Amino acid sequence: MNTFGQYLRLTTFGESHGPAMGGVLDGMPSRVFVDRDLMQRDLDRRSPGKGGTVSPRKEPDIPEILSGLSSDGYTLGTPVGFIIRNRDVRSGDYKDIENRFRPNHADYTYYAKYGVHDFRGGGRSSARETVSWVTAGAIVRQWLDGMGIEVSARFVETADIRQASCTGDSVGGAVECVVTGLPVGIGEPVFDKLHSRLAAAMMSINAAKAFEYGDGMESSKQFGSQCRDIPYVDEDGKVRFRSNHSGGIQGGISNGMPVNFKVYFKPTPTIPIEVESIDKDGNSVVIKPGGRHDVCVAVRAVPVVEAMTLLTIGDLILANSRFDSHSA
Amino acid sequence: MNTFGQYLRLTTFGESHGPAMGGVLDGMPSRVFVDRDLMQRDLDRRSPGKGGTVSPRKEPDIPEILSGLSSDGYTLGTPVGFIIRNRDVRSGDYKDIENRFRPNHADYTYYAKYGVHDFRGGGRSSARETVSWVTAGAIVRQWLDGMGIEVSARFVETADIRQASCTGDSVGGAVECVVTGLPVGIGEPVFDKLHSRLAAAMMSINAAKAFEYGDGMESSKQFGSQCRDIPYVDEDGKVRFRSNHSGGIQGGISNGMPVNFKVYFKPTPTIPIEVESIDKDGNSVVIKPGGRHDVCVAVRAVPVVEAMTLLTIGDLILANSRFDSHSA
Amino acid sequence: MNTFGQYLRLTTFGESHGPAMGGVLDGMPSRVFVDRDLMQRDLDRRSPGKGGTVSPRKEPDIPEILSGLSSDGYTLGTPVGFIIRNRDVRSGDYKDIENRFRPNHADYTYYAKYGVHDFRGGGRSSARETVSWVTAGAIVRQWLDGMGIEVSARFVETADIRQASCTGDSVGGAVECVVTGLPVGIGEPVFDKLHSRLAAAMMSINAAKAFEYGDGMESSKQFGSQCRDIPYVDEDGKVRFRSNHSGGIQGGISNGMPVNFKVYFKPTPTIPIEVESIDKDGNSVVIKPGGRHDVCVAVRAVPVVEAMTLLTIGDLILANSRFDSHSA
Amino acid sequence: MNTFGQYLRLTTFGESHGPAMGGVLDGMPSRVFVDRDLMQRDLDRRSPGKGGTVSPRKEPDIPEILSGLSSDGYTLGTPVGFIIRNRDVRSGDYKDIENRFRPNHADYTYYAKYGVHDFRGGGRSSARETVSWVTAGAIVRQWLDGMGIEVSARFVETADIRQASCTGDSVGGAVECVVTGLPVGIGEPVFDKLHSRLAAAMMSINAAKAFEYGDGMESSKQFGSQCRDIPYVDEDGKVRFRSNHSGGIQGGISNGMPVNFKVYFKPTPTIPIEVESIDKDGNSVVIKPGGRHDVCVAVRAVPVVEAMTLLTIGDLILANSRFDSHSA
């Protein structure tokens, strides 16, 4: 369903071509100051139209916060409801694909599942959905920031964007993310391992195809004797490790080292290059998907990766809070 | 917490050196026949001691099913409770590591989280936990089998097992899994995408470090124009695709093609080769982890990958059942 | 947290004196027509200012639906997000109680829990919250209506409203609710019994103090031989019962007879009659709660009882759908 | 499904005439000592055969704890798995009702829901299920006891047990429960109100027909001016109230006063007095339910009411722990 998290829960709604996107962030601790400018900074990083590599659609994505904040900007401990209006809806762009399934898009699977084909722009499967994730993530960031936890992602170019740009094509890419300042003990030992939850979060992002943490895929080619992270106690009496093959996670639980992982994205399939397909009735058609598109979706995914990481970590910190309060 | 799934839920318990492992599988439809021999076959595949590459510990892992089945072997629609006794407990093997943290193991993170260090053999983080997963998966397999859905994984060698075997070292490896017969429409469009749920399930498995589906990591180097899966209608009027870059999943929802993915495992860090570490009080120590270990954990992971896939798919099929029943 | 239901989930947000109330109704089947006039009828029944017995606050409670409906009014199967603006905010009315705890209100417990006292009008504990419940319930009603399920509640006077009205006092009351057309099999046998879920739903309503179903409290004085509902098969081959002591529920599961139950409400404690209390700092104070209030809250609770019943039943119908789809 | 609670979760399994009942208690904090004798005391109070008013079935209900406890009896913070064998199974007793539905029992509704009629003794709907609840409750009791929280229920006779006993009939009854020592702030303001959760828990108990807290049903006949609980600060600087119409709960959240509520039970319908019914095929039959039965089920319900209260409160204390840990 449309809820992410157990203790810190984001519930979202909105079709990309409906009146608004929005969400409810439930579980935020009270008395956290939310700086609207910092929030806007994250939203702007996600926003299209900021360069040659991303879709030229221009939306002023300014969330309206409807609850959960006091008049002077502090969280109340109550759910934060917010909406972001959809303003720039050019339905005409989607005329060509009406009743036709765009290859590698959710069009066909959606239709098969819901029996409805009224999802211009992708319905719930549109990347526009992530505007709500970034809004919520920006609130969580300010809470975690107060605990000294920082989440920072960056785009790693893996294909020739310049060439794709010229031919109307698209390219894939990868995003690397690092979490610093995370205390020891975050993550649960069996099904809610920190990396298991991060993997689920990352694979929720549109176009994500692979996830790895620490030494990741390379680990499968290593010997056990070569990749052990030796612990020691530093001058402050804190346990640290001489290497970080583990990516900051051991047995599913954070060990105090930086948590790092990587997400791989496919190129968007919606490009203005003709392709065979079928329509709703099973007839063969040739379509040339119009609409606006990103040359490289991975670029815009950077703040989304951060937002989903923030939501995941915030959730697991609350899950862990029962240990804090009862060890006394 | 220790529950996996929303509609088909496996809740597990058990420490590897306590009296028993066990679980409750809740949500199974009624009137599914459960063949105990088929179940045992999966458990035997998981069992150590079956070759040079896996730990020589010998446990007769025969689940005792305590509820949920009629006397003639059919599910009742009530929760299936089961236990598997732990018989071969050689605590002496763990003498050397008492109060000492094994590198890259959950020992330190566990201690920091729970304030308890009584987890010989790893407590909940031991791979012994997976005996409950395979038991539950074997039940689900027989239900899905009746729907024509097959889940099959295989080990993909990625490092030199023979060499590691000689030196007492360990190696990583990878497991490939394919799901055939899955109907169109399984998976949810936003946070419970089929691949998101599979990623979480796979990353729950001990030693898993990376997950990819379809073209996976390679996608990040591709052009959009090269990896479109063209749909067509076959002679039976069924929608099919000319290629499967998508790995059977589009927009998070199955498209009727085989679902395929790959999981990468690190080598086990518990090898009888000396290594520096610290003890509970922060003193430097040198340990030589004893106990039994697998040269290549990925080999034993094969039935575990299948079990977690079966549980994930069973859960999402039930999640989707609301569509079946209300389209009328 | 602020989510109700497992399969059909309502997540709400909003403080009574903030910009808006709202919610997300997730899990609604697709292709259900939502008549906005029928929805408004429910909202109007809940609305204050419709007579002498309820608060004279006048709000035009017209929900703005932001997602989940097609342009021609059918559900899409995606979450229905909606907001209802708060327009008539007279904060002045609450001046007298600033930093003072109104007896029997949530003021003190809220402050103790959240460490915040910025909840003019009650914050999340205000009965204004129920505007979102009625909105969601009105959508569910139209789905269940298509299945022949009807939910209807009525006010049962239990105290002298006329007298209370004259003295500025308030009175309690009770609401009776009947569900007809519910198929056999709704409700789960152990923790999610139909009456258990209804009890939780009803006790969520502000001022509710007791719940009973079928013979209810009277049952505790009966003999077993006197209250057995004898089943028989009617001329249509349908199982029916000669009496309904069970209130339509046996073993937590609906038996095809009308489901009936009763909810008892206390009088609102917010009345313009002076009362001792304390302020935030523990000083004794005398307050005379201003603001608008209902003489009898139970009157306005009628559509709220219906809404919560609709949400509960919708949820349990979806929970039961796994049986429909797999009995084949 | 078969799980109770969100943060402290009890998942149960077992048919009354299968091999064993059992459960998994997940979420218990670590380092709580569990005294097995105290646990047994609760189980013995629930046990039948202890007097003329309850069923003469004699089962030595001694739970086997399979995980979650250290060898010296302390919780590990991992799930506590336990089973209680079913030993005294006289299936012959149920011969008379084979394929026949006992009136006011779950027989018919179960059959309609699951399509299975193999539930001698009631399957999951048997009161034997509560043996797992009492086991889990006894563990929680020892944790809450360390916090000074006490839960104590007592039977309130409401019908003539002596007379029923002579005629082979059964009677209803009521149970009153008081929770002392509960800190302020337990319970959530909207859907997880303390009394809402208690109502759901109580109505899960077999034969429960009504729930009220504080002034309960009587509230509906009161004036608002008569039932206000005046707060004051006592000599220790603690907020207290001059009366307790609220039953210790305001706005769904505990206010530091004793929490009190009452549960009403119907008489068991399974009595050896002939009654008309139908069989599986819809034929009219006359049955005389054999098996053992309780003259007054409410007597045995006393420790069950306590157990469900303990589980509910433990869950809400963990839910509240996020506030403790983040107010810093």
Side-chain angles (χ1 to χ4, degrees):
Chain A
M1 296 179 78
N2 297 278
T3 297
F4 182 84
Q6 297 291 325
Y7 304 82
L8 180 69
R9 283 190 209 160
L10 175 63
T11 300
T12 62
F13 60 87
E15 287 79 47
S16 55
H17 285 67
M21 311 304 292
V24 185
L25 180 65
D26 198 2
M28 268 297 291
S30 58
R31 287 174 289 166
V32 172
F33 180 68
V34 178
D35 182 319
R36 298 297 299 265
D37 291 335
L38 288 177
M39 175 186 282
Q40 202 56 45
R41 204 176 298 174
D42 278 347
L43 282 157
D44 290 348
R45 287 167 65 214
R46 180 205 160 276
S47 191
K50 293 287 162 95
T53 58
V54 291
S55 151
R57 179 170 171 171
K58 279 180 209 83
E59 303 138 293
D61 282 332
I62 301 171
E64 182 185 4
I65 297 188
L66 299 167
S67 67
L69 292 188
S70 67
S71 48
D72 52 352
Y74 287 85
T75 55
L76 293 168
T78 59
V80 182
F82 59 85
I83 59 172
I84 304 104
R85 298 271 170 191
N86 293 323
R87 295 220 177 89
D88 179 17
V89 181
R90 300 192 215 149
S91 298
D93 287 357
Y94 294 91
K95 203 83 198 212
D96 187 55
I97 54 162
E98 216 178 335
N99 295 325
R100 293 155 177 220
F101 303 132
R102 290 167 295 172
N104 293 53
H105 232 275
D107 295 359
Y108 166 63
T109 53
Y110 237 66
Y111 179 67
K113 188 177 187 87
Y114 297 96
V116 178
H117 189 73
D118 179 27
F119 294 107
R120 288 160 306 158
R124 292 290 292 154
S125 70
S126 162
R128 173 113 186 100
E129 160 73 9
T130 60
V131 74
S132 297
W133 306 1
V134 171
T135 300
I139 295 170
V140 177
R141 188 193 294 279
Q142 305 194 32
W143 164 40
L144 298 191
D145 195 63
M147 295 179 163
I149 302 169
E150 259 183 73
V151 172
S152 167
R154 68 187 188 86
F155 172 65
V156 184
E157 189 178 341
T158 46
D160 192 336
I161 291 179
R162 216 165 303 171
Q163 182 190 328
S165 205
C166 296
T167 58
D169 211 331
S170 61
V171 292
V175 173
E176 225 173 52
C177 186
V178 180
V179 184
T180 56
L182 196 64
V184 187
I186 304 306
E188 302 286 317
V190 182
F191 297 119
D192 292 305
K193 291 184 165 81
L194 175 49
H195 56 272
S196 171
R197 294 289 295 275
L198 284 171
M202 294 309 125
M203 298 308 275
S204 294
I205 303 173
N206 304 52
K209 297 287 286 188
F211 169 88
E212 60 176 350
Y213 79 101
D215 282 2
M217 208 156 303
E218 275 306 300
S219 304
S220 71
K221 298 173 195 157
Q222 294 170 338
F223 289 107
S225 57
Q226 297 169 324
C227 52
R228 299 193 282 191
D229 297 318
I230 310 299
Y232 67 98
V233 177
D234 73 7
E235 52 267 35
D236 301 327
K238 221 182 132 182
V239 173
R240 305 194 66 81
F241 295 81
R242 300 209 186 276
S243 54
N244 196 14
H245 297 288
S246 296
I249 305 172
Q250 287 171 341
I253 300 168
S254 63
N255 70 354
M257 296 290 282
V259 169
N260 63 68
F261 57 88
K262 214 165 156 185
V263 194
Y264 296 83
F265 295 90
K266 68 171 186 183
T268 180
T270 310
I271 46 176
I273 296 178
E274 282 194 350
V275 66
E276 284 175 71
S277 187
I278 55 172
D279 66 16
K280 245 174 71 166
D281 305 313
N283 302 310
S284 288
V285 294
V286 170
I287 63 171
K288 186 178 166 181
R292 293 135 301 186
H293 85 279
D294 297 285
V295 174
C296 180
V297 286
V299 174
R300 258 174 95 185
V302 171
V304 182
V305 164
E306 290 181 4
M308 292 309 282
T309 303
L310 288 157
L311 287 164
T312 302
I313 284 176
D315 189 35
L316 289 172
I317 283 175
L318 291 183
N320 197 52
S321 67
R322 66 181 195 277
F323 292 99
D324 304 337
S325 54
H326 296 283
S327 53
Chain B
M1 296 178 79
N2 296 277
T3 297
F4 181 84
Q6 298 291 325
Y7 304 82
L8 180 68
R9 284 190 208 160
L10 175 64
T11 300
T12 62
F13 60 87
E15 287 78 47
S16 55
H17 286 66
M21 311 305 291
V24 186
L25 180 64
D26 199 2
M28 269 296 292
S30 58
R31 287 173 289 165
V32 172
F33 180 69
V34 177
D35 183 319
R36 299 297 297 264
D37 292 334
L38 288 178
M39 175 186 282
Q40 202 57 44
R41 205 176 297 174
D42 278 348
L43 282 157
D44 290 347
R45 287 167 65 212
R46 180 204 160 276
S47 192
K50 292 288 163 92
T53 57
V54 292
S55 150
R57 179 170 171 171
K58 280 180 207 84
E59 303 138 293
D61 283 332
I62 302 172
E64 183 185 4
I65 297 187
L66 299 167
S67 67
L69 291 189
S70 67
S71 48
D72 53 351
Y74 286 85
T75 56
L76 293 168
T78 59
V80 182
F82 58 85
I83 59 173
I84 304 104
R85 298 271 170 190
N86 293 323
R87 296 219 175 91
D88 178 19
V89 180
R90 300 192 217 151
S91 297
D93 286 357
Y94 293 91
K95 203 81 199 213
D96 188 56
I97 54 162
E98 216 176 337
N99 295 326
R100 295 158 174 215
F101 302 131
R102 290 166 296 171
N104 292 53
H105 231 275
D107 295 0
Y108 166 64
T109 52
Y110 237 65
Y111 179 67
K113 188 177 186 86
Y114 295 97
V116 178
H117 189 73
D118 178 28
F119 293 107
R120 290 161 304 159
R124 292 291 291 154
S125 70
S126 162
R128 174 114 185 97
E129 159 72 8
T130 59
V131 73
S132 297
W133 307 0
V134 172
T135 300
I139 296 170
V140 177
R141 189 193 292 280
Q142 304 194 33
W143 164 40
L144 298 191
D145 195 63
M147 295 180 165
I149 302 170
E150 261 184 73
V151 171
S152 167
R154 67 188 188 86
F155 171 66
V156 183
E157 190 178 342
T158 45
D160 193 337
I161 290 179
R162 215 166 305 170
Q163 183 191 328
S165 204
C166 297
T167 58
D169 211 331
S170 61
V171 292
V175 173
E176 224 172 55
C177 186
V178 179
V179 184
T180 56
L182 195 64
V184 187
I186 305 305
E188 302 288 317
V190 183
F191 298 120
D192 293 304
K193 290 183 166 80
L194 175 49
H195 55 272
S196 171
R197 293 289 296 275
L198 284 171
M202 294 308 125
M203 299 308 274
S204 294
I205 303 174
N206 304 55
K209 298 287 287 188
F211 169 88
E212 61 176 349
Y213 79 102
D215 281 2
M217 206 156 305
E218 276 305 301
S219 304
S220 70
K221 299 174 192 156
Q222 293 170 338
F223 289 106
S225 57
Q226 296 169 321
C227 52
R228 300 193 280 190
D229 296 318
I230 310 299
Y232 67 99
V233 177
D234 72 8
E235 52 268 34
D236 301 328
K238 222 182 133 182
V239 172
R240 306 194 67 81
F241 295 82
R242 300 207 186 277
S243 54
N244 195 14
H245 298 287
S246 296
I249 305 171
Q250 287 171 341
I253 299 168
S254 63
N255 71 353
M257 295 291 282
V259 169
N260 63 68
F261 57 89
K262 215 166 154 185
V263 194
Y264 295 84
F265 296 90
K266 68 172 186 182
T268 180
T270 309
I271 46 176
I273 295 178
E274 283 194 348
V275 66
E276 285 174 71
S277 187
I278 55 172
D279 66 14
K280 245 175 70 166
D281 304 313
N283 302 310
S284 289
V285 294
V286 170
I287 62 171
K288 186 176 165 182
R292 292 135 305 186
H293 85 279
D294 297 285
V295 175
C296 181
V297 287
V299 174
R300 256 174 97 186
V302 171
V304 181
V305 164
E306 291 181 5
M308 292 307 284
T309 304
L310 288 158
L311 287 163
T312 302
I313 284 176
D315 189 36
L316 290 171
I317 283 175
L318 291 183
N320 197 53
S321 67
R322 65 181 195 278
F323 292 99
D324 303 337
S325 55
H326 297 284
S327 52
Chain C
M1 297 179 79
N2 296 278
T3 298
F4 182 84
Q6 297 291 325
Y7 303 80
L8 181 68
R9 284 191 208 159
L10 175 64
T11 300
T12 62
F13 61 86
E15 287 79 47
S16 57
H17 285 68
M21 311 305 290
V24 186
L25 180 65
D26 198 3
M28 269 296 291
S30 58
R31 287 173 290 167
V32 172
F33 180 69
V34 178
D35 183 318
R36 298 298 298 266
D37 291 334
L38 288 177
M39 174 185 283
Q40 202 56 45
R41 205 175 299 175
D42 279 347
L43 282 157
D44 290 348
R45 287 167 64 212
R46 179 204 160 277
S47 192
K50 293 287 163 94
T53 58
V54 292
S55 152
R57 179 170 172 171
K58 280 181 208 83
E59 303 139 293
D61 283 332
I62 302 170
E64 182 185 4
I65 298 187
L66 299 166
S67 67
L69 291 189
S70 67
S71 47
D72 52 352
Y74 286 85
T75 56
L76 293 168
T78 58
V80 182
F82 58 86
I83 59 174
I84 304 103
R85 298 271 170 192
N86 293 323
R87 294 220 177 91
D88 179 18
V89 181
R90 299 192 216 147
S91 298
D93 286 357
Y94 293 90
K95 203 84 198 209
D96 188 56
I97 55 162
E98 215 177 337
N99 296 325
R100 295 156 174 217
F101 302 131
R102 289 167 296 171
N104 294 53
H105 231 275
D107 294 0
Y108 166 63
T109 52
Y110 236 66
Y111 179 66
K113 187 177 187 86
Y114 296 96
V116 178
H117 189 74
D118 179 26
F119 293 107
R120 288 161 306 157
R124 290 292 290 155
S125 70
S126 162
R128 174 114 185 99
E129 159 73 8
T130 59
V131 73
S132 296
W133 307 359
V134 172
T135 300
I139 295 169
V140 177
R141 189 193 292 279
Q142 304 194 33
W143 164 41
L144 298 191
D145 195 63
M147 295 179 164
I149 302 169
E150 260 184 71
V151 172
S152 166
R154 67 189 188 86
F155 172 65
V156 184
E157 190 177 341
T158 47
D160 193 336
I161 291 179
R162 216 165 304 170
Q163 183 190 326
S165 205
C166 297
T167 59
D169 211 331
S170 61
V171 292
V175 173
E176 226 172 50
C177 186
V178 179
V179 184
T180 55
L182 195 63
V184 188
I186 305 305
E188 302 287 318
V190 182
F191 297 120
D192 293 304
K193 289 184 165 80
L194 175 49
H195 56 272
S196 172
R197 293 289 297 276
L198 284 171
M202 294 309 125
M203 299 308 274
S204 295
I205 302 173
N206 305 52
K209 297 288 285 189
F211 169 88
E212 60 177 348
Y213 79 101
D215 281 2
M217 207 155 305
E218 276 306 299
S219 304
S220 70
K221 298 173 194 156
Q222 294 169 339
F223 289 105
S225 58
Q226 297 168 323
C227 53
R228 299 192 281 191
D229 296 318
I230 310 300
Y232 68 98
V233 177
D234 73 8
E235 52 268 35
D236 301 327
K238 222 183 133 183
V239 173
R240 305 195 67 80
F241 295 81
R242 298 207 188 278
S243 54
N244 195 13
H245 298 286
S246 296
I249 305 172
Q250 287 170 341
I253 300 169
S254 63
N255 70 354
M257 295 291 281
V259 170
N260 62 68
F261 57 89
K262 214 166 155 184
V263 194
Y264 296 84
F265 296 90
K266 68 172 186 182
T268 179
T270 310
I271 47 177
I273 296 178
E274 282 194 349
V275 67
E276 284 175 70
S277 188
I278 55 173
D279 67 13
K280 244 175 70 166
D281 305 314
N283 302 310
S284 288
V285 295
V286 170
I287 62 171
K288 186 177 165 182
R292 292 134 303 185
H293 85 279
D294 297 285
V295 175
C296 180
V297 285
V299 175
R300 258 174 96 186
V302 172
V304 182
V305 164
E306 291 181 4
M308 292 308 281
T309 303
L310 288 157
L311 287 164
T312 302
I313 285 176
D315 189 36
L316 289 171
I317 283 175
L318 291 183
N320 198 52
S321 67
R322 65 181 195 278
F323 293 99
D324 303 337
S325 55
H326 297 283
S327 54
Chain D
M1 296 178 78
N2 296 276
T3 298
F4 181 84
Q6 297 292 325
Y7 303 82
L8 180 69
R9 283 190 210 162
L10 175 64
T11 301
T12 62
F13 60 87
E15 286 79 47
S16 56
H17 285 66
M21 311 305 290
V24 186
L25 180 65
D26 199 3
M28 269 295 293
S30 58
R31 287 174 289 166
V32 172
F33 180 68
V34 178
D35 184 319
R36 298 297 298 263
D37 291 335
L38 288 178
M39 175 186 282
Q40 201 57 45
R41 205 176 296 173
D42 278 348
L43 282 158
D44 290 348
R45 288 167 63 214
R46 180 204 161 276
S47 192
K50 293 287 163 94
T53 58
V54 292
S55 151
R57 179 171 170 169
K58 281 180 206 85
E59 302 139 294
D61 283 333
I62 302 171
E64 182 185 4
I65 298 187
L66 299 166
S67 67
L69 291 189
S70 67
S71 47
D72 52 352
Y74 287 85
T75 55
L76 293 168
T78 58
V80 182
F82 58 85
I83 60 174
I84 303 104
R85 298 272 170 189
N86 293 324
R87 295 217 176 93
D88 179 19
V89 181
R90 299 192 217 150
S91 298
D93 286 358
Y94 293 90
K95 204 80 201 214
D96 188 55
I97 55 162
E98 216 178 334
N99 295 325
R100 293 157 174 217
F101 303 132
R102 290 167 296 171
N104 292 53
H105 231 274
D107 296 359
Y108 166 65
T109 52
Y110 237 65
Y111 179 67
K113 189 177 185 86
Y114 296 97
V116 178
H117 188 73
D118 179 27
F119 295 107
R120 289 162 304 158
R124 290 292 291 155
S125 70
S126 163
R128 174 115 186 98
E129 159 73 8
T130 60
V131 73
S132 297
W133 306 0
V134 172
T135 300
I139 296 170
V140 177
R141 189 193 291 279
Q142 304 194 33
W143 163 42
L144 298 191
D145 195 64
M147 295 179 164
I149 301 170
E150 261 184 72
V151 171
S152 167
R154 67 188 188 87
F155 172 65
V156 184
E157 191 177 340
T158 45
D160 193 335
I161 290 179
R162 215 166 305 170
Q163 183 192 328
S165 205
C166 297
T167 57
D169 211 330
S170 61
V171 292
V175 173
E176 225 173 53
C177 187
V178 179
V179 184
T180 55
L182 195 64
V184 187
I186 304 305
E188 302 287 317
V190 183
F191 298 119
D192 293 304
K193 289 183 166 80
L194 175 50
H195 55 272
S196 172
R197 292 290 296 274
L198 284 171
M202 295 309 125
M203 299 308 274
S204 294
I205 302 174
N206 303 54
K209 297 288 287 188
F211 169 89
E212 60 176 349
Y213 80 101
D215 281 2
M217 207 154 306
E218 276 305 301
S219 303
S220 70
K221 298 172 194 157
Q222 294 169 338
F223 288 106
S225 58
Q226 297 169 321
C227 52
R228 297 192 282 190
D229 297 318
I230 310 300
Y232 67 98
V233 178
D234 72 10
E235 53 267 33
D236 301 326
K238 221 182 133 182
V239 172
R240 305 194 67 79
F241 295 81
R242 300 208 185 276
S243 54
N244 195 14
H245 298 288
S246 296
I249 306 172
Q250 287 170 342
I253 299 169
S254 63
N255 71 353
M257 295 291 281
V259 169
N260 62 67
F261 56 90
K262 215 166 155 184
V263 194
Y264 295 84
F265 295 90
K266 68 172 186 182
T268 179
T270 309
I271 46 176
I273 296 178
E274 283 194 347
V275 67
E276 283 176 71
S277 188
I278 54 172
D279 67 14
K280 246 175 69 167
D281 305 313
N283 302 310
S284 289
V285 295
V286 170
I287 62 171
K288 187 177 165 181
R292 291 135 306 188
H293 85 280
D294 297 285
V295 175
C296 180
V297 286
V299 175
R300 257 174 97 185
V302 172
V304 182
V305 164
E306 291 181 5
M308 292 309 283
T309 303
L310 287 158
L311 287 164
T312 302
I313 285 176
D315 189 37
L316 289 171
I317 283 175
L318 291 183
N320 196 52
S321 67
R322 66 180 194 279
F323 292 99
D324 304 336
S325 55
H326 297 283
S327 52

